Amino acid sequence: MTLFSAAVLLFLVLDPFGNIPFFLAALQGVDPSRRLRIVARELLIALAALVGFLFAGQYVLELLGIEPPALTVAGGIILFLIAIKMIFPGSRSSAEEAIDGEPFIVPLAIPYVAGPSALASVMLIMNREPERWVEWLVATCAAWLATAVIVVLASGLSRFLGKRGLVAIERLMGMVLITLAVQMVMTGVAEFVQR
């Protein structure tokens, strides 16, 4: 995996276009003058969680005795399920939370930005080649930065693209993610068979 492909994978998993409606809904009751500050704080918390899992994840996996092929297959299955939900969203009300007042950590930072799939993905990337940690950190930060730009511009993008445009982009991202997920599963199975 190259730095670029890792960044693209993480960007697809972070799904910023799919999260635009959730961010807008969560910030409806917040004073408009505070929204940007809240979004910036939540994005920084999400980045801290992603970087934390990037570096601590491999030790957790070693502690649990999870081998790389199993993690690769599990990561592929998780990405596949998320991609299916991106393509065939159905009802996403379970992901939406009723927020009284100003959101803090939940749900904007976790799980909207740094959700289980993103945290599992950074662990998977780092576990495969831990000696390339600088590249994985750069890929994580690049994917986060692209997501941050989209989230900060959420209201403008929502007006510009419209609901159908956002859905179309999310479904296209889901199609690419399905291909990556299938590749991960095949790689994990091949690694297991070769042992």
Side-chain angles (χ1 to χ4, degrees):
M1 181 175 281
T2 66
L3 187 152
F4 179 75
S5 62
V8 169
L9 169 67
L10 292 174
F11 176 76
L12 293 171
V13 171
L14 291 172
D15 188 21
F17 290 103
N19 284 329
I20 285 176
F22 298 130
F23 264 79
L24 295 177
L27 294 171
Q28 268 183 340
V30 175
D31 180 11
S33 64
R34 294 215 14 97
R35 288 181 186 164
L36 184 57
R37 190 175 307 153
I38 292 167
V39 168
R41 179 191 69 207
E42 298 300 304
L43 286 167
L44 289 172
I45 291 169
L47 178 62
L50 289 167
V51 171
F53 269 77
L54 181 72
F55 289 106
Q58 69 183 39
Y59 302 110
V60 172
L61 295 173
E62 286 173 12
L63 183 68
L64 296 173
I66 298 173
E67 296 182 12
L71 182 63
T72 303
V73 171
I77 291 169
I78 289 170
L79 290 180
F80 184 81
L81 294 173
I82 286 167
I84 290 292
K85 286 183 182 178
M86 289 169 74
I87 297 170
F88 307 106
S91 173
R92 295 180 79 176
S93 58
S94 61
E96 296 183 51
E97 306 210 8
I99 301 166
D100 293 329
E102 208 172 89
F104 182 66
I105 300 178
V106 176
L108 298 184
I110 301 169
Y112 290 172
V113 178
S117 56
L119 298 175
S121 295
V122 294
M123 284 176 27
L124 173 69
I125 289 169
M126 177 65 103
N127 192 61
R128 291 182 60 81
E129 296 178 272
E131 68 280 0
R132 295 175 62 192
W133 68 269
V134 174
E135 291 179 62
W136 307 146
L137 179 60
V138 170
T140 301
C141 290
W144 172 85
L145 183 61
T147 298
V149 168
I150 291 168
V151 167
V152 166
L153 301 174
S155 57
L157 284 171
S158 180
R159 282 193 300 274
F160 176 72
L161 296 172
K163 188 174 181 179
R164 289 183 186 203
L166 290 173
V167 168
I169 290 173
E170 183 178 18
R171 290 188 179 168
L172 179 61
M173 291 170 67
M175 293 292 289
V176 174
L177 199 55
I178 279 182
T179 308
L180 291 170
V182 170
Q183 181 63 52
M184 285 173 65
V185 170
M186 292 189 324
T187 301
V189 169
E191 286 175 358
F192 179 76
V193 170
Q194 289 173 358
R195 298 183 110 187

